[in-house]
Amino acid sequence: VCVFSTPEMFHHIMKSPLLQNSYVLCVISVAVILGSLAESRIQNSKLASFDYPAINCRKHSAVLTDFGAVGDGKTSNTKAFNSAISKLSQYSNDGGAQLIVPPGKWLTGSFNLTSHFTLFLQKDAVILASQDESEWPELPVLPSYGRGRDAPAGRFSSLIFGTHLTDVIITGNNGTIDGQGSSWWKKFKSDQLKLTRPYMIELMYSDQIQISHLTLINSPTWFVHPIYSSNIIVNGLTILAPVDSPNTDGINPDSSTNVRIEDNYIVSGDDCIAIKSGWDQYGIKVGKPSQHIIIRRLTCISPDSAMIALGSEMSGGIQDVRAEDITAISTESAVRVKTAIGRGGFVKDIFVKGMKLNTMKYVFWMTGTYGQHPDKDFDPKALPKVSGINYRDVTAKNVTFAGKLEGISNDPFTGICLSNVSIEMSEQRSKKKLPWNCTDVAGVSSNVTPQPCELLPVKKDKSDCPYPSDKLPIENVQFKTCSFKSSVF
């Protein structure tokens, strides 16, 4: 520190070249220190005030660095995340709390959220998932699945996890969560896993959930998995994974109700959205349907899977799903029903309006032989009921097959309706391949090109297929304008 007790001392120093050099170094050091403080103040001033939309706002705030976190992409911050959330959980009944993740690369293993809580990722903030398995606690298998999807035993906890919570928000200014999934994909492909891979975000038995305005990349397996939960909004996500990555579904509402999925862009190695409700006898026993779900303004790229899949694990039932203004590019199929003997359950009251498709293998695809089972104890008499599947206002280009609709013998899929559909077949398609292949289905069609199979005759009144005019309760939920103000400056 440069300290001069009197003016005379200062003049004496300035007369000596050696002391002058020391003084210059001292001044430079002070300038660097002051510059660092100024830079710190500038960085913190960026945290001082910003607004964001959320279902609920918070009274208390903290920044991840307040808890010793280091954003160098190498230091583990698992303890910092857990410490921060544990500390902020005390405000659950006092207006709630928000944890701000500032710019940086924040390496972490799995951590658990709390109620009345917001996790906010600033722009240029990246949460990096640890590749150290010791940072991923083991969880029991899901009750409605009876086993892990990758292995019969338990499963790794999700990167961001929570159970029995109320009012949880995961959002940001397009911050990023990177699951660093490649090592997990390699282990899966080489059959090295004893537990099922972790999801990126999973909330169980929870209510009032918002997941929004983030970029999610390279999850070990499914990205967003609300299960046994209700009143869920997922919007403004960009979800990216290599198109050959295994089981990297984008958004999978599972045995959940009152769900709103809007304005998402997904590139995936599996279904962009998959609605599920449990697997065979385990899903039947739990009996929690997925229902009252609205999907809007989705763009999907998935060459080997569906834009929206209904199933295949649908044994608790799927009902009242509405999708509109959705786009698929270079995707295997659009809205696909996936089920099998042994599933039981139902898929009914499905409404799709406004699909734009380009470069598809199938426009319409329903499968009654999707035969993966958790074990040999499934009931072969448990037949799924598929009915009331409605599609309207569809345009598709460069298509290999218009439709492949395969129900189950002695258990046909009924109440299928197609209207106002224009499909342009691929020029490379073999003329020997029929555009439609239909078995064990029943329904009607209206204004569909090319002409559908005989099992879907033209409606006598030539009217459009139905689409509900009422609103789901989750559609009436309005965002508030919330803010963060630094408590430091």
Side-chain angles (χ1 to χ4, degrees):
V1 178
C2 305
V3 178
F4 310 105
S5 58
T6 65
E8 290 76 10
M9 182 179 293
F10 173 77
H11 292 300
H12 174 68
I13 289 172
M14 296 309 295
K15 290 178 182 179
S16 168
L18 180 62
L19 291 177
Q20 282 181 22
N21 290 336
S22 298
Y23 173 72
V24 170
L25 289 174
C26 180
V27 170
I28 291 173
S29 299
V30 170
V32 169
I33 293 169
L34 291 175
S36 297
L37 289 172
E39 183 180 358
S40 175
R41 283 181 177 269
I42 291 171
Q43 290 176 346
N44 280 312
S45 70
K46 292 180 181 177
L47 299 181
S49 179
F50 60 81
D51 296 334
Y52 64 93
I55 56 174
N56 285 307
C57 302
R58 310 303 182 197
K59 181 178 177 182
H60 304 274
S61 302
V63 181
L64 184 62
T65 48
D66 296 340
F67 301 88
V70 179
D72 60 3
K74 300 177 181 179
T75 304
S76 174
N77 294 291
T78 308
K79 291 183 179 178
F81 273 103
N82 284 320
S83 176
I85 295 167
S86 176
K87 177 70 174 178
L88 295 175
S89 67
Q90 67 180 309
Y91 301 113
S92 177
N93 296 321
D94 182 31
Q98 55 192 357
L99 177 64
I100 310 301
V101 181
K105 294 183 178 180
W106 311 95
L107 184 69
T108 181
S110 173
F111 59 90
N112 295 354
L113 303 184
T114 188
S115 292
H116 306 291
F117 176 80
T118 297
L119 179 69
F120 187 97
L121 279 69
Q122 285 206 299
K123 183 181 179 182
D124 299 323
V126 181
I127 292 179
L128 286 174
S130 172
Q131 296 180 313
D132 180 356
E133 286 190 14
S134 68
E135 295 212 82
W136 301 84
E138 181 178 344
L139 294 179
V141 298
L142 292 164
S144 57
Y145 283 74
R147 57 157 286 166
R149 294 294 284 114
D150 295 341
R155 61 200 189 100
F156 290 104
S157 178
S158 298
L159 177 62
I160 300 175
F161 181 72
T163 185
H164 295 92
L165 303 180
T166 301
D167 181 16
V168 181
I169 299 169
I170 305 168
T171 190
N173 183 19
N174 202 33
T176 299
I177 304 176
D178 183 350
Q180 300 204 97
S182 59
S183 65
W184 296 98
W185 305 333
K186 290 177 182 177
K187 291 176 185 177
F188 171 75
K189 290 178 179 178
S190 59
D191 199 25
Q192 295 179 7
L193 291 169
K194 295 181 180 179
L195 300 174
T196 291
R197 288 166 286 164
Y199 305 130
M200 179 173 282
I201 299 172
E202 181 180 66
L203 296 171
M204 298 175 58
Y205 302 109
S206 297
D207 183 59
Q208 298 180 49
I209 297 167
Q210 175 189 336
I211 304 170
S212 64
H213 303 298
L214 296 167
T215 296
L216 312 180
I217 63 175
N218 297 334
S219 179
T221 180
W222 302 350
F223 278 87
V224 177
H225 185 225
I227 182 166
Y228 318 135
S229 295
S230 58
N231 299 308
I232 301 159
I233 298 176
V234 181
N235 78 303
L237 298 183
T238 298
I239 297 177
L240 305 173
V243 294
D244 62 349
S245 55
N247 310 115
T248 50
D249 298 39
I251 303 167
N252 287 10
D254 197 340
S255 291
S256 292
T257 186
N258 215 23
V259 182
R260 185 169 117 199
I261 301 172
E262 295 179 318
D263 302 299
N264 298 292
Y265 177 86
I266 302 173
V267 180
S268 172
D270 211 318
D271 301 320
C272 289
I273 294 176
I275 300 171
K276 300 177 179 290
S277 66
W279 203 3
D280 286 12
Q281 69 271 30
Y282 305 103
I284 293 170
K285 182 178 179 180
V286 171
K288 286 184 175 290
S290 280
Q291 58 188 345
H292 311 313
I293 297 171
I294 177 77
I295 301 168
R296 292 194 188 103
R297 297 180 298 278
L298 165 69
T299 299
C300 166
I301 299 174
S302 183
D304 296 320
S305 292
M307 175 169 54
I308 300 172
L310 306 169
S312 69
E313 305 90 342
M314 40 61 66
S315 303
I318 297 173
Q319 183 176 14
D320 189 14
V321 177
R322 311 171 185 192
E324 59 182 71
D325 191 11
I326 54 179
T327 301
I329 305 165
S330 298
T331 296
E332 186 175 37
S333 62
V335 179
R336 182 184 179 191
V337 177
K338 300 160 65 175
T339 188
I341 293 172
R343 291 286 190 267
F346 52 83
V347 178
K348 60 183 181 180
D349 304 330
I350 309 300
F351 306 94
V352 181
K353 178 177 71 171
M355 288 199 296
K356 295 180 181 179
L357 313 174
N358 194 327
T359 310
M360 310 289 292
K361 185 173 183 180
Y362 303 101
V363 174
F364 304 104
W365 195 7
M366 300 182 188
T367 308
T369 56
Y370 206 89
Q372 296 179 347
H373 300 285
D375 52 50
K376 63 181 180 180
D377 295 327
F378 70 92
D379 181 2
K381 295 181 181 179
L383 301 178
K385 299 299 179 185
V386 177
S387 63
I389 315 296
N390 302 276
Y391 303 91
R392 61 184 280 186
D393 306 334
V394 179
T395 59
K397 298 180 180 180
N398 195 24
V399 171
T400 305
F401 296 100
K404 185 177 183 180
L405 310 180
E406 300 176 318
I408 298 172
S409 180
N410 300 318
D411 182 31
F413 298 171
T414 62
I416 298 169
C417 183
L418 314 178
S419 69
N420 192 22
V421 176
S422 175
I423 300 173
E424 295 181 12
M425 308 304 294
S426 168
E427 293 181 1
Q428 297 178 351
R429 182 183 68 90
S430 170
K431 293 182 179 180
K432 295 181 181 179
K433 295 179 180 178
L434 295 174
W436 295 87
N437 186 343
C438 306
T439 56
D440 298 302
V441 297
V444 293
S445 62
S446 175
N447 190 27
V448 177
T449 304
Q451 184 175 341
C453 48
E454 293 180 356
L455 295 177
L456 301 175
V458 175
K459 295 177 69 175
K460 292 181 180 180
D461 62 3
K462 298 184 179 181
S463 62
D464 281 337
C465 302
Y467 192 90
S469 58
D470 65 317
K471 283 190 175 183
L472 298 175
I474 193 67
E475 295 183 73
N476 296 319
V477 175
Q478 300 292 317
F479 288 116
K480 302 173 184 176
T481 299
C482 302
S483 63
F484 168 78
K485 297 185 185 303
S486 172
S487 59
V488 179
F489 297 100

